[in-house]
């Protein structure tokens, strides 16, 4: 049976957490935490479509800037899933730069903040200078 994915733990036990998962048949990749990602080749970062962040300590989130820089010209959205503060953290990163030329780029970032009983969804589009747009929120029923 052919492999469906290939994974790589990016750094050693003393480095920043990051797991890179390449979905072979889909020609895309996932990141689980975004610590120091300098060891991931640029052409592999271009394949990242989804990022899962366990929490936003610097060692789990510092590589986000490098991902944005790599995929800014890509029309496919980047989806980011994380704890309830992830929206504010992504927004803070995007506000940390001067984006005077950004509206010419196609990148869209969808962010999903996972809470106990809901998932809040927002979008940041380069074409709208990364102004936050609210998307639907999903209620989760407890049984």
């Amino acid at each position: 049976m052919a492999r469906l994915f290939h994974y790589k733990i990016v750094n050693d036990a003393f480095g920043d957490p990051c797991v890179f998962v390449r979905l072979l048949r889909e020609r895309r990749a996932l990141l689980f935490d975004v610590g120091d990602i300098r060891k991931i080749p640029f052409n592999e970062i271009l394949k990242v479509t989804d990022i899962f962040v366990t929490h936003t300590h610097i060692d789990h989130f510092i590589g986000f800037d490098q991902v944005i820089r790599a995929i800014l010209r890509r029309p496919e959205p980047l989806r980011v899933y994380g704890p309830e503060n992830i929206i504010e953290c992504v927004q803070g990163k995007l506000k940390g730069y001067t984006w005077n030329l950004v509206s010419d780029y196609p990148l869209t970032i969808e962010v999903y903040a996972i809470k106990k009983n809901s998932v809040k969804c927002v979008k940041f589009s380069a074409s709208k200078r990364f102004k936050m747009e609210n998307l639907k929120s999903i209620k989760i029923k407890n049984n």
Side-chain angles (χ1 to χ4, degrees):
M1 184 167 155
R3 286 182 137 179
L4 299 176
F5 65 91
H6 173 74
Y7 75 94
K8 178 182 178 183
I9 298 172
V10 177
N11 301 304
D12 64 22
F14 298 103
D16 291 353
C18 183
V19 177
F20 178 82
V21 178
R22 177 86 191 280
L23 302 173
L24 300 173
R25 293 181 189 218
E26 296 182 35
R27 296 184 180 159
R28 64 188 189 102
L30 314 174
L31 284 175
F32 291 86
D33 282 327
V34 205
D36 182 357
I37 63 169
R38 289 178 290 175
K39 293 179 185 174
I40 303 174
F42 186 82
N43 65 325
E44 295 292 337
I45 294 173
L46 288 172
K47 295 174 183 143
V48 173
T49 58
D50 300 85
I51 296 174
F52 300 86
V53 179
T54 58
H55 59 283
T56 53
H57 287 169
I58 194 167
D59 60 330
H60 290 252
F61 199 52
I62 193 72
F64 184 76
D65 296 356
Q66 190 175 347
V67 173
I68 297 305
R69 184 174 185 176
I71 67 169
L72 198 54
R73 290 182 168 89
R74 189 178 77 190
E76 297 83 22
L78 173 68
R79 291 175 295 273
V80 180
Y81 306 86
E84 56 185 277
N85 70 329
I86 193 70
I87 292 169
E88 292 81 9
C89 292
V90 169
Q91 185 177 39
K93 290 245 185 208
L94 295 172
K95 283 185 173 184
Y97 296 100
T98 302
W99 293 105
N100 60 317
L101 304 174
V102 77
S103 58
D104 295 334
Y105 293 101
L107 179 63
T108 298
I109 304 167
E110 298 172 2
V111 184
Y112 300 84
I114 302 166
K115 300 179 181 183
K116 184 176 181 179
N117 295 318
S118 65
V119 178
K120 182 178 180 184
C121 312
V122 301
K123 177 171 72 170
F124 299 94
S125 299
S127 64
K128 296 180 180 176
R129 303 180 60 77
F130 290 125
K131 183 181 178 205
M132 185 172 71
E133 301 172 63
N134 286 312
L135 300 176
K136 64 181 177 182
S137 291
I138 304 163
K139 296 286 183 187
I140 301 170
K141 292 183 182 179
N142 291 331
N143 291 333

